[in-house]
Amino acid sequence: MSRRTGGRGLLAVGCSVAALVAALPGVAHAAAPPKQPLVADLRTGSKACAAGEGARPYVRSAPQLEAVLYDTDGGSVSAEYEVWWTDGAGAEQRSTYTSVAKASGSVFRVQLPTSVPKETVVSWRVRAHDGTAASPWSSDGDGSTCEFIYDTTAPGKAVVGSAEYPDDGNWTDGVGVYGSFTMDSPSDDVVSYQYQFLGRPPQTVRPDEPGGAVSVRYLPLAAGTNRFVVQAFDRAGNGSAESTHFFRVASGRAPVAHWNLADPAGSTTAAAETGTAAAAGSGVTFGGAAPSGTGLASAAVLDGSSHGYLTPGGPAVADPRKTFAVSGWARPAQTDRTMTVAAQDAGDDSAFALGLDARGERPGWSFTVGGARVTGGAPESGEWAHLLGVYDAETGEAQLYVNGRAVGTTAKAEPGAATGDFHIGRARDGRGHHDRWHGGLAGIRVHDRVVVPTEAAGLAHRKPRSLGHWSLENATDGASPEQDGGTPLKLGAGAEIRRGPDGSCLPELDPDCPAVPEPLVGEGHLTLDGETGHAATEGPVVDTSDSFSIGVVVRLADAEPSRPMTVLSQGGTHTDAFKVRYEPSEHAWQLVMPVADEKGAAEVVVAQAALADGGQGTGQRLAVVYDDATDRIRLYLDGTTNAEATADLPDGWESSGPLQVGRAHTGDGWGEYLRGDVDEVHAFAGALDDRDVRQLGWGVEPCLC
């Protein structure tokens, strides 16, 4: 590019010279001048050409001007840019920039110098030259001048604050409660604020007018010290220094109403942990079995009759138009009819209802509020499930959780203001109270806030319980004891406990000293010969029809096994309810779970790829987790699982046979005998989480938190 600069006189001379050259005899003339540049093809930096207050762009660095130019005849063209502004003395200043010729349709750019004045309206236009004639300026006729303002001044720091969550060092209520956070700027040219809460992605919000204040709503999902970081930006994109607002979020407040329903048998009321005691109808029996692993001592059983309900005689949700949540444990005695876990009257109808909906093609759990219904999950007769319905007045949405996981699709709801009595076990419609619960209920809670996802998972958590831990350190009379005195593992022929070196000699120094391998874990492990070697309990250890987990450490003796080998199994009459085996043709560990106790039954198989360790190393840590609440099985290898190692298993069946180590059912007998070493067999009632699985196989007890 070449550049000319100066006042009007220079521009006039330039135009006269062009006219004179065009008139000289012998000079070739184009059939038509180049095309007038289109405003749509012009850019100031990254911003489209615009002019006028509120339209012209602001830039924070001297911009590059850009134009796409065309020759009418398709020949080469060059660009001429003209840039002008009015200086502080009121005089107009103009500069001209020209380019070398390029093909028609090319992009022509010019970088303006940093001497371009700041905080001033700068205008520009462009035209094309084909060597003999010039196009009209881009501003001529229906065209337009392009304008910009060069601004490098950063705005002042934003002023931030929150009435609900002040920066005062105090703990504030709390998780599940919305708060407003305000951003304001002392600079009148701020057009956006970028803000970020700890652990959340950055967001951008714009004030209604430059320099205005903006408020955003925030829902804390976890207790602890949090921070709100804000940066203000002006029209040019200049950013202020960051403003940081620290605040402390307390744990979510307790429910406003809470009935465990774990009252003594014969009670006629349910004591309230919070709120008012609930009177029980004659169809309510206390002292039923509670969901295991929940800390509840017992549950209430409702008979499904008109007398099978409980009520505190007043509302639990003061205003259904505001945020609330209702939850509880439910165990249906049947799934072929619609039934209510909990509901609240609203005139002749219900403000909301949580329960089982049998009106569709298949039964599902449901949460109804304000004319909206969310459904999901698969109720099973005799099986406990935790239900949670949340209405968030900020979003206007209803959400359903089943066993701690969101199900269905959130629905927009418009609850009314009417309130009436809260009921456990029935719901009101225009015909009176109906949809009565038949089955067990426990742990009914009502919150006046959002119950967040981590809390939903916590309410539904069922703590696993250890059923047996065999460290396989020693054996007495052919049996290796369970650590807590439970049923031992009896060793069959071809199975022995091998302990590590006793230190009496060193093979590397004494050729007569036998080489004894180090144990997998601790001071010993079980060694199996691959022909008859196995170990087994007297009877079943895990209930395979319910949630269970089991872990083991195994080291195969062969680097390339010639056949499948099973490390763990527990069977029924005709097959195994589950088995964990190494399949050499797949180079993988497999979890195999037949869908029925029948010969030739279909099998659900998941796998984890692994090479056989050939008697070397510290073994491989395997774990099986069956979560009956979600109908999922998972196979872990060395503490990890994946999609290929996870599958659905809707109906696990209860096995009747003992836990087997080192063999499985094959045909009418036993087979798939394992050749190698086994250690740390650990079984649980309940589904372990990933953290607990990672603790298995190291000789320590998992947290089971």
Side-chain angles (χ1 to χ4, degrees), residues 299-385:
V301 178
L302 283 62
D303 65 6
S305 73
S306 60
H307 302 289
Y309 69 92
L310 301 96
T311 180
V317 175
D319 187 346
R321 296 170 300 178
K322 297 181 179 180
T323 297
F324 70 89
V326 56
S327 62
W329 287 97
R331 184 185 192 185
Q334 60 188 105
T335 60
D336 57 353
R337 74 177 197 182
T338 298
M339 300 190 294
T340 302
V341 172
Q344 184 165 297
D345 294 346
D348 291 333
D349 208 339
S350 292
F352 60 85
L354 180 70
L356 187 156
D357 189 347
R359 288 168 289 194
E361 293 183 3
R362 59 182 62 88
W365 299 112
S366 72
F367 177 49
T368 304
V369 57
R373 177 180 287 111
V374 185
T375 59
E380 296 183 36
S381 297
E383 183 175 305
W384 285 103

XYZ file of all heavy atoms in Angstrom, residues 299-385:
618
model
N -41.033 -49.365 58.299
C -41.835 -48.611 57.342
C -43.305 -48.820 57.654
O -43.691 -49.714 58.426
C -41.527 -49.059 55.919
N -44.149 -47.971 57.046
C -45.598 -48.138 57.151
C -46.090 -48.921 55.941
O -45.581 -48.742 54.822
C -46.286 -46.780 57.211
N -47.062 -49.768 56.156
C -47.676 -50.536 55.068
C -49.127 -50.097 54.946
O -49.886 -50.151 55.932
C -47.587 -52.049 55.327
C -48.267 -52.816 54.197
C -46.128 -52.479 55.468
N -49.517 -49.647 53.756
C -50.867 -49.186 53.495
C -51.602 -50.239 52.676
O -51.028 -50.803 51.727
C -50.856 -47.849 52.759
C -50.552 -46.589 53.610
C -49.159 -46.642 54.225
C -50.694 -45.329 52.767
N -52.868 -50.490 53.024
C -53.579 -51.618 52.413
C -54.334 -51.269 51.137
O -54.999 -52.117 50.550
C -54.532 -52.250 53.430
C -55.664 -51.299 53.856
O -55.782 -50.187 53.293
O -56.422 -51.682 54.771
N -54.270 -50.016 50.694
C -54.926 -49.635 49.451
C -56.400 -49.353 49.591
O -57.079 -49.049 48.594
N -56.939 -49.414 50.801
C -58.358 -49.159 51.021
C -58.591 -47.681 51.296
O -57.645 -46.876 51.380
C -58.857 -49.982 52.207
O -58.355 -49.436 53.425
N -59.853 -47.317 51.483
C -60.189 -45.923 51.780
C -59.675 -45.493 53.148
O -59.663 -44.299 53.466
C -61.711 -45.728 51.715
O -62.365 -46.575 52.656
N -59.241 -46.462 53.967
C -58.692 -46.148 55.290
C -57.155 -46.168 55.301
O -56.561 -45.921 56.351
C -59.215 -47.149 56.323
C -60.713 -47.179 56.409
N -61.453 -46.162 56.945
C -61.604 -48.121 55.987
C -62.742 -46.454 56.876
N -62.866 -47.643 56.296
N -56.555 -46.429 54.162
C -55.100 -46.535 54.100
C -54.454 -45.221 53.712
O -54.034 -45.032 52.561
N -54.340 -44.286 54.655
C -53.747 -42.975 54.389
C -53.263 -42.371 55.695
O -53.625 -42.817 56.791
C -54.760 -42.034 53.735
C -55.875 -41.611 54.673
C -55.774 -40.447 55.431
C -57.014 -42.400 54.827
C -56.778 -40.078 56.319
C -58.019 -42.041 55.713
C -57.894 -40.875 56.455
O -58.881 -40.520 57.336
N -52.460 -41.305 55.588
C -52.044 -40.508 56.736
C -52.158 -39.046 56.349
O -51.931 -38.680 55.189
C -50.602 -40.806 57.148
C -50.246 -42.241 57.537
C -49.660 -42.978 56.343
C -49.254 -42.264 58.703
N -52.459 -38.181 57.317
C -52.529 -36.743 57.045
C -52.236 -35.958 58.310
O -52.689 -36.328 59.403
C -53.903 -36.335 56.484
O -53.910 -34.921 56.251
C -55.037 -36.712 57.421
N -51.483 -34.861 58.186
C -51.266 -33.983 59.347
C -52.441 -33.041 59.581
O -52.423 -32.268 60.546
C -50.002 -33.214 58.955
C -50.063 -33.146 57.461
C -50.694 -34.436 57.023
N -53.453 -33.070 58.684
C -54.611 -32.203 58.856
C -54.384 -30.774 58.421
O -55.160 -29.881 58.769
N -53.359 -30.528 57.655
C -53.065 -29.190 57.146
C -52.065 -29.292 56.013
O -51.556 -30.376 55.696
N -51.736 -28.163 55.356
C -50.795 -28.205 54.230
C -49.351 -28.373 54.692
O -48.968 -27.911 55.768
C -51.002 -26.853 53.548
C -51.479 -25.947 54.641
C -52.291 -26.812 55.567
N -48.558 -29.036 53.878
C -47.105 -29.104 54.091
C -46.398 -28.080 53.220
O -45.321 -27.595 53.566
C -46.591 -30.505 53.790
N -47.001 -27.755 52.079
C -46.486 -26.715 51.184
C -47.385 -25.505 51.352
O -48.577 -25.552 51.012
C -46.477 -27.195 49.719
C -46.055 -26.061 48.794
C -45.551 -28.391 49.567
N -46.838 -24.406 51.883
C -47.655 -23.240 52.197
C -48.230 -22.584 50.954
O -49.383 -22.153 50.951
C -46.828 -22.230 52.999
N -47.427 -22.507 49.892
C -47.872 -21.881 48.646
C -47.329 -22.694 47.485
O -46.133 -22.622 47.185
C -47.377 -20.439 48.561
C -47.957 -19.684 47.366
O -48.515 -20.343 46.461
O -47.844 -18.453 47.328
N -48.161 -23.477 46.811
C -47.667 -24.328 45.713
C -47.108 -23.550 44.530
O -46.481 -24.145 43.659
C -48.918 -25.127 45.301
C -49.840 -25.050 46.474
C -49.581 -23.718 47.095
N -47.326 -22.232 44.496
C -46.758 -21.434 43.409
C -45.275 -21.161 43.628
O -44.573 -20.744 42.705
C -47.513 -20.105 43.281
C -48.981 -20.250 42.878
C -49.701 -18.931 43.012
N -49.667 -18.442 44.391
C -50.192 -17.278 44.784
N -50.803 -16.505 43.906
N -50.112 -16.907 46.050
N -44.812 -21.374 44.849
C -43.402 -21.176 45.158
C -42.664 -22.517 45.089
O -43.271 -23.580 45.062
C -43.247 -20.543 46.541
C -43.863 -19.150 46.628
C -43.675 -18.538 48.017
C -44.269 -17.143 48.090
N -44.090 -16.543 49.448
N -41.346 -22.435 45.083
C -40.512 -23.633 44.944
C -40.757 -24.601 46.098
O -40.828 -24.203 47.268
C -39.028 -23.236 44.905
O -38.798 -22.425 43.743
C -38.133 -24.450 44.850
N -40.858 -25.897 45.768
C -40.995 -26.927 46.792
C -40.514 -28.260 46.233
O -40.302 -28.416 45.023
C -42.449 -27.048 47.279
C -43.396 -27.641 46.273
C -43.614 -29.011 46.202
C -44.071 -26.818 45.383
C -44.480 -29.563 45.265
C -44.941 -27.356 44.437
C -45.149 -28.724 44.382
N -40.344 -29.229 47.121
C -39.955 -30.589 46.724
C -40.627 -31.565 47.670
O -40.786 -31.285 48.868
C -38.438 -30.761 46.759
N -41.042 -32.720 47.152
C -41.669 -33.765 47.954
C -41.006 -35.085 47.591
O -40.723 -35.349 46.416
C -43.196 -33.815 47.715
C -43.527 -34.012 46.251
C -43.850 -34.889 48.576
N -40.709 -35.909 48.596
C -39.954 -37.134 48.326
C -40.338 -38.224 49.310
O -40.949 -37.969 50.352
C -38.446 -36.874 48.411
O -38.081 -36.456 49.722
N -39.948 -39.461 49.004
C -40.182 -40.577 49.904
C -39.792 -41.902 49.282
O -39.583 -42.011 48.070
N -39.671 -42.912 50.132
C -39.423 -44.285 49.700
C -40.766 -44.980 49.470
O -41.689 -44.836 50.276
C -38.635 -45.048 50.756
C -37.193 -44.649 50.849
C -36.641 -43.766 51.733
C -36.136 -45.122 50.025
N -35.292 -43.657 51.505
C -34.947 -44.479 50.455
C -36.058 -46.022 48.962
C -33.707 -44.713 49.865
C -34.830 -46.261 48.371
C -33.679 -45.615 48.820
N -40.854 -45.729 48.375
C -42.108 -46.391 48.024
C -41.839 -47.815 47.554
O -40.912 -48.052 46.771
C -42.831 -45.613 46.927
N -42.666 -48.734 48.034
C -42.568 -50.136 47.640
C -43.967 -50.631 47.262
O -44.758 -51.008 48.125
C -41.996 -50.972 48.790
C -41.757 -52.437 48.443
C -41.308 -53.193 49.683
N -40.808 -54.520 49.372
C -40.450 -55.419 50.287
N -40.548 -55.106 51.578
N -39.999 -56.602 49.931
N -44.319 -50.607 45.986
C -45.680 -50.973 45.585
C -45.926 -52.466 45.726
O -45.077 -53.287 45.396
C -45.744 -50.543 44.117
C -44.324 -50.611 43.652
C -43.480 -50.226 44.832
N -47.099 -52.794 46.221
C -47.512 -54.201 46.265
C -48.058 -54.645 44.921
O -48.175 -55.847 44.666
C -48.564 -54.398 47.354
N -48.395 -53.692 44.074
C -48.869 -53.986 42.725
C -48.532 -52.790 41.844
O -48.307 -51.676 42.339
C -50.373 -54.243 42.724
C -51.205 -53.071 43.231
C -52.668 -53.404 43.393
O -53.144 -53.585 44.504
N -53.400 -53.490 42.272
N -48.494 -53.002 40.540
C -48.160 -51.906 39.624
C -49.213 -51.738 38.540
O -48.981 -51.027 37.569
C -46.788 -52.160 38.961
O -46.831 -53.389 38.227
C -45.676 -52.215 39.997
N -50.353 -52.380 38.706
C -51.381 -52.334 37.669
C -52.460 -51.298 37.945
O -53.506 -51.296 37.312
C -52.022 -53.714 37.491
C -52.626 -54.246 38.785
O -52.430 -53.604 39.841
O -53.280 -55.311 38.727
N -52.228 -50.428 38.911
C -53.189 -49.355 39.141
C -52.441 -48.100 39.569
O -51.342 -48.167 40.135
C -54.224 -49.752 40.190
C -53.711 -49.764 41.618
C -54.824 -50.106 42.591
N -54.490 -49.736 43.961
C -55.280 -49.964 44.995
N -56.440 -50.568 44.820
N -54.931 -49.589 46.213
N -53.018 -46.933 39.279
C -52.428 -45.659 39.666
C -52.553 -45.476 41.172
O -53.637 -45.677 41.738
C -53.124 -44.509 38.922
O -52.913 -44.672 37.517
C -52.583 -43.162 39.358
N -51.438 -45.106 41.826
C -51.425 -44.979 43.284
C -50.605 -43.756 43.687
O -49.678 -43.351 42.974
C -50.837 -46.238 43.927
C -51.598 -47.517 43.602
S -51.051 -48.940 44.596
C -49.367 -49.179 44.000
N -50.938 -43.193 44.834
C -50.322 -41.953 45.304
C -49.425 -42.203 46.505
O -49.846 -42.821 47.485
C -51.404 -40.925 45.686
O -52.237 -40.686 44.561
C -50.782 -39.622 46.148
N -48.208 -41.693 46.431
C -47.305 -41.706 47.580
C -47.622 -40.520 48.486
O -47.809 -40.668 49.696
C -45.834 -41.667 47.117
C -44.896 -41.473 48.307
C -45.488 -42.935 46.357
N -47.678 -39.311 47.891
C -47.984 -38.105 48.664
C -48.621 -37.081 47.745
O -48.297 -36.998 46.561
C -46.724 -37.535 49.300
N -49.546 -36.281 48.303
C -50.238 -35.253 47.530
C -50.756 -34.197 48.492
O -50.799 -34.395 49.715
C -51.384 -35.859 46.723
N -51.151 -33.053 47.919
C -51.761 -31.996 48.729
C -53.008 -31.486 48.031
O -53.001 -31.234 46.824
C -50.777 -30.851 48.967
C -51.337 -29.760 49.880
C -50.265 -28.832 50.401
O -49.357 -29.268 51.131
N -50.342 -27.564 50.049
N -54.078 -31.350 48.823
C -55.345 -30.874 48.272
C -55.236 -29.435 47.789
O -54.477 -28.617 48.337
C -56.444 -30.934 49.337
C -56.784 -32.360 49.759
O -56.363 -33.299 49.058
O -57.468 -32.515 50.792
N -56.054 -29.124 46.770
C -56.232 -27.759 46.282
C -57.692 -27.644 45.866
O -58.038 -27.894 44.716
C -55.298 -27.449 45.125
N -58.567 -27.302 46.810
C -59.994 -27.303 46.526
C -60.470 -28.720 46.289
O -60.240 -29.619 47.101
N -61.124 -28.940 45.154
C -61.613 -30.278 44.808
C -60.587 -31.090 44.033
O -60.891 -32.195 43.568
C -62.897 -30.161 43.974
C -64.060 -29.631 44.794
O -64.050 -29.841 46.024
O -64.954 -29.000 44.209
N -59.385 -30.554 43.876
C -58.338 -31.235 43.104
C -57.077 -31.318 43.954
O -57.098 -31.042 45.151
C -58.078 -30.472 41.803
C -57.585 -31.374 40.685
O -57.074 -32.466 40.994
O -57.709 -30.980 39.510
N -55.989 -31.705 43.329
C -54.698 -31.778 44.018
C -53.750 -30.725 43.468
O -53.657 -30.540 42.241
C -54.065 -33.162 43.841
O -54.811 -34.152 44.520
N -53.068 -30.032 44.359
C -52.047 -29.075 43.922
C -50.871 -29.800 43.292
O -50.267 -29.329 42.335
C -51.571 -28.239 45.107
N -50.536 -30.960 43.842
C -49.459 -31.788 43.300
C -49.666 -33.203 43.807
O -50.373 -33.438 44.795
C -48.077 -31.266 43.707
C -47.847 -31.222 45.193
C -47.402 -32.345 45.894
C -48.078 -30.056 45.904
C -47.204 -32.302 47.261
C -47.881 -30.004 47.280
C -47.439 -31.134 47.965
N -49.048 -34.153 43.120
C -49.122 -35.556 43.541
C -47.877 -36.282 43.062
O -47.407 -36.067 41.939
C -50.371 -36.233 42.979
N -47.347 -37.126 43.923
C -46.185 -37.957 43.622
C -46.610 -39.410 43.768
O -47.200 -39.781 44.784
C -45.049 -37.632 44.592
C -43.741 -38.407 44.448
C -43.009 -37.998 43.169
C -42.843 -38.152 45.666
N -46.339 -40.236 42.759
C -46.764 -41.621 42.889
C -46.501 -42.469 41.675
O -45.550 -42.230 40.922
N -47.367 -43.467 41.473
C -47.241 -44.450 40.400
C -48.383 -44.229 39.417
O -49.548 -44.152 39.820
C -47.282 -45.859 40.987
C -47.005 -47.053 40.082
C -46.513 -48.231 40.925
C -48.245 -47.494 39.296
N -48.050 -44.130 38.132
C -49.048 -43.893 37.086
C -49.158 -45.142 36.221
O -48.200 -45.531 35.550
C -48.635 -42.694 36.241
C -49.721 -42.255 35.264
O -50.682 -43.021 35.075
O -49.606 -41.157 34.696
N -50.328 -45.780 36.238
C -50.537 -47.005 35.465
C -51.440 -46.776 34.264
O -51.976 -47.719 33.690
C -51.137 -48.084 36.363
N -51.592 -45.517 33.849
C -52.520 -45.218 32.771
C -51.908 -45.340 31.383
O -52.618 -45.294 30.389
C -53.087 -43.808 32.966
C -54.076 -43.722 34.113
C -54.409 -42.294 34.476
N -53.283 -41.625 35.125
C -53.389 -40.471 35.778
N -54.565 -39.879 35.864
N -52.338 -39.925 36.345
N -50.603 -45.469 31.277
C -49.963 -45.586 29.983
C -49.818 -47.031 29.540
O -50.420 -47.955 30.104
N -48.972 -47.238 28.521
C -48.739 -48.594 28.026
C -48.079 -49.459 29.085
O -48.281 -50.669 29.122
C -47.868 -48.540 26.770
C -48.557 -47.902 25.570
C -47.679 -47.949 24.336
O -46.562 -48.523 24.412
O -48.095 -47.415 23.304
N -47.260 -48.840 29.907
C -46.612 -49.561 30.998
C -46.577 -48.643 32.213
O -46.581 -47.415 32.069
C -45.200 -50.011 30.604
C -44.279 -48.865 30.218
C -42.910 -49.368 29.789
N -42.997 -50.210 28.618
C -42.960 -49.744 27.368
N -42.876 -48.431 27.144
N -43.021 -50.561 26.337
N -46.537 -49.176 33.417
C -46.530 -48.316 34.604
C -45.235 -47.518 34.714
O -44.169 -47.945 34.251
C -46.676 -49.310 35.755
C -46.164 -50.608 35.221
C -46.519 -50.614 33.764
N -45.333 -46.354 35.319
C -44.158 -45.511 35.551
C -44.372 -44.661 36.782
O -45.499 -44.492 37.264
N -43.300 -44.138 37.329
C -43.396 -43.192 38.433
C -43.789 -41.833 37.880
O -43.453 -41.500 36.737
C -42.080 -43.111 39.187
C -41.638 -44.414 39.803
C -40.575 -45.175 39.441
C -42.261 -45.096 40.901
N -40.486 -46.295 40.225
C -41.516 -46.272 41.143
C -43.371 -44.837 41.693
C -41.844 -47.176 42.136
C -43.699 -45.735 42.691
C -42.947 -46.886 42.912
N -44.485 -41.020 38.673
C -44.959 -39.744 38.141
C -44.944 -38.659 39.211
O -45.051 -38.923 40.414
C -46.377 -39.883 37.579
O -47.321 -40.043 38.626
N -44.811 -37.417 38.706
C -44.931 -36.220 39.541
C -45.821 -35.254 38.782
O -45.510 -34.867 37.654
C -43.559 -35.609 39.811
C -43.602 -34.327 40.614
C -44.339 -34.234 41.784
C -42.883 -33.212 40.197
C -44.373 -33.059 42.526
C -42.900 -32.038 40.932
C -43.654 -31.953 42.100
N -46.946 -34.900 39.404
C -47.920 -34.016 38.768
C -48.019 -32.733 39.571
O -48.166 -32.759 40.802
C -49.306 -34.688 38.715
O -49.195 -35.940 38.033
C -50.303 -33.805 37.980
N -47.931 -31.582 38.872
C -48.051 -30.287 39.531
C -48.514 -29.260 38.508
O -48.011 -29.225 37.383
C -46.710 -29.857 40.182
C -45.585 -29.801 39.173
C -46.859 -28.509 40.884
N -49.496 -28.447 38.892
C -49.931 -27.353 38.041
C -50.295 -27.758 36.633
O -49.974 -27.045 35.682
N -50.939 -28.898 36.457
C -51.346 -29.339 35.135
C -50.267 -30.019 34.334
O -50.514 -30.468 33.207
N -49.071 -30.109 34.857
C -47.966 -30.773 34.158
C -47.668 -32.105 34.828
O -47.808 -32.257 36.050
C -46.721 -29.897 34.171
N -47.254 -33.071 34.040
C -46.909 -34.391 34.577
C -45.565 -34.835 34.004
O -45.347 -34.779 32.805
C -47.980 -35.423 34.250
C -47.613 -36.844 34.734
C -48.679 -37.882 34.411
N -49.861 -37.725 35.264
C -51.038 -37.315 34.837
N -51.207 -37.033 33.550
N -52.050 -37.195 35.670
N -44.675 -35.275 34.896
C -43.400 -35.865 34.492
C -43.435 -37.337 34.892
O -43.782 -37.657 36.035
C -42.200 -35.171 35.171
C -40.890 -35.735 34.639
C -42.261 -33.664 34.959
N -43.106 -38.210 33.965
C -43.121 -39.643 34.259
C -41.793 -40.269 33.867
O -41.085 -39.767 32.979
C -44.254 -40.360 33.503
O -44.070 -40.171 32.097
C -45.606 -39.828 33.914
N -41.460 -41.376 34.519
C -40.229 -42.089 34.193
C -39.982 -43.217 35.169
O -40.671 -43.361 36.177
N -38.983 -44.014 34.876
C -38.665 -45.146 35.726
C -39.617 -46.304 35.486
O -40.603 -46.194 34.749
N -39.308 -47.426 36.123
C -40.101 -48.645 35.943
C -40.397 -49.263 37.296
O -39.565 -49.985 37.856
C -39.347 -49.637 35.063
N -41.561 -48.982 37.876
C -41.907 -49.574 39.171
C -41.956 -51.095 39.087
O -42.383 -51.662 38.070
C -43.299 -48.999 39.463
C -43.461 -47.837 38.541
C -42.626 -48.130 37.346
N -41.534 -51.766 40.156
C -41.609 -53.216 40.246
C -42.261 -53.593 41.566
O -41.924 -53.038 42.619
C -40.222 -53.842 40.151
C -39.534 -53.621 38.806
C -38.184 -54.308 38.725
O -38.054 -55.422 39.291
O -37.262 -53.735 38.125
N -43.192 -54.512 41.523
C -43.882 -54.950 42.729
C -42.878 -55.500 43.738
O -41.996 -56.299 43.394
C -44.913 -56.030 42.395
O -45.919 -55.520 41.546
N -43.014 -55.060 44.978
C -42.156 -55.557 46.043
C -40.769 -54.958 46.075
O -39.940 -55.386 46.882
N -40.500 -53.964 45.240
C -39.156 -53.382 45.183
C -39.207 -51.917 45.602
O -40.024 -51.133 45.109
C -38.590 -53.494 43.765
C -37.164 -52.979 43.638
C -36.607 -53.233 42.251
O -36.631 -54.407 41.826
O -36.169 -52.275 41.600
N -38.301 -51.555 46.522
C -38.241 -50.174 46.997
C -37.647 -49.254 45.936
O -36.710 -49.616 45.229
C -37.397 -50.072 48.257
C -38.048 -50.572 49.513
C -37.817 -51.752 50.151
C -39.048 -49.895 50.280
N -38.600 -51.865 51.270
C -39.376 -50.734 51.381
C -39.703 -48.668 50.156
C -40.314 -50.376 52.336
C -40.643 -48.311 51.106
C -40.939 -49.158 52.181
N -38.189 -48.059 45.868
C -37.633 -47.006 45.016
C -37.754 -45.685 45.761
O -38.707 -45.469 46.525
C -38.371 -46.925 43.685
